[in-house]
Amino acid sequence: MAAPKALVAGNWKMNGLKASVQEIEDLQKLISEKNVHCDVLVCPPATLLAHAIEATKGSSIAIGGQDCHTARAGAHTGDISAEMLKDLGCSHVIVGHSERRSDHGEDNDMVRAKASAAQREGLVAIICVGETEAERDNGQTLAVVTEQVVASLPEEAEAINTIIAYEPVWAIGTGKTPTAADVAEVHAAIRSVLKERFGESGDEVRILYGGSVKPDNAAELMAVENVNGALVGGASLKAESFYGILQAYG
Ligand code: 13P
């Protein structure tokens, strides 16, 4: 079966003011001048979602949220539901990012409930997994990551509305990346879990790599087997560097 079309997603995290939406417009301009052979998604902070959606109307850039609540609506001050993201025009939402797991104590059960809420509303859930440095040093990487994938996948998830992002915690924002062989090993393990879970269509689920992806290492990382795109933090904040990463699929 052919590999799924790649997706390169930018996670702006808690960065960006209204003026930053210009970066998305600049990115759009760059893409329209020279097409790239991957799908492109930007996940700005919640405050910029409406602006970003307005700015990308009619373009090929999709917009997604960085988190959602497990409930549709209710007394949850400060939270945002998947229904609200869908209503705005988002197509995707990131769930279980390691910063949510550590800053907000989100465990696999919580992540699974969030992914389920997203999929119920017709959003694609980007479920993040990844080992800490200590877990890697202890040789636990494959066990930790496969356990996270199994436990974070909702029962009713389908290949079509599921994306897995493998982000080693120690590679996020550090400039460190695993070797291509290490990435290949983890992505192959995730692929096995997905095939066990979804059968043949497990091959259609995109598995993204994230953690210090930059224009100068993107081509090597994206060429690894079972890597179907990237989840990019810091380098997605500027149109030029994000576009540099998209060039891996130029
Ligand atoms: P960096 O690309 O800044 O390392 O962040 C990766 C990440 O956490 C994306 O979700």
Side-chain angles (χ1 to χ4, degrees), residues 54-69:
E54 186 59 35
T56 51
K57 258 193 192 138
S59 99
S60 59
I61 300 176
I63 301 296
Q66 296 178 10
D67 176 50
C68 66
H69 197 273

Side-chain angles (χ1 to χ4, degrees), residues 73-179:
H76 303 289
T77 303
D79 275 314
I80 294 173
S81 73
E83 186 186 36
M84 291 167 178
L85 294 175
K86 181 71 181 175
D87 181 53
L88 259 187
C90 291
S91 51
H92 296 66
V93 61
I94 299 167
V95 293
H97 191 280
S98 66
E99 288 148 18
R100 300 285 320 172
R101 290 181 188 257
S102 64
D103 291 0
H104 299 271
E106 294 187 6
D107 60 9
N108 291 333
D109 289 346
M110 168 72 78
V111 174
R112 188 173 68 247
K114 289 186 171 199
S116 171
Q119 292 170 338
R120 186 180 62 216
E121 300 301 336
L123 296 170
V124 176
I126 302 177
I127 300 171
C128 301
V129 297
E131 82 286 2
T132 63
E133 189 150 39
E135 287 163 343
R136 175 158 286 271
D137 290 346
N138 288 335
Q140 296 170 303
T141 299
L142 295 185
V144 167
V145 169
T146 52
E147 161 65 14
Q148 283 177 331
V149 175
V150 169
S152 303
L153 267 176
E155 212 170 292
E156 67 282 9
E158 293 172 42
I160 193 100
N161 58 17
T162 302
I163 294 175
I164 304 295
Y166 168 56
E167 300 202 302
V169 177
W170 53 271
I172 295 176
T174 59
K176 293 194 254 179
T177 53
T179 63

Side-chain angles (χ1 to χ4, degrees), residues 11 13 97 99 167 171-174 210-214 231-235:
N11 173 11
K13 310 188 179 184
H97 191 280
E99 288 148 18
E167 300 202 302
I172 295 176
T174 59
S212 296
V213 178
K214 309 280 179 225
L231 183 55
V232 185

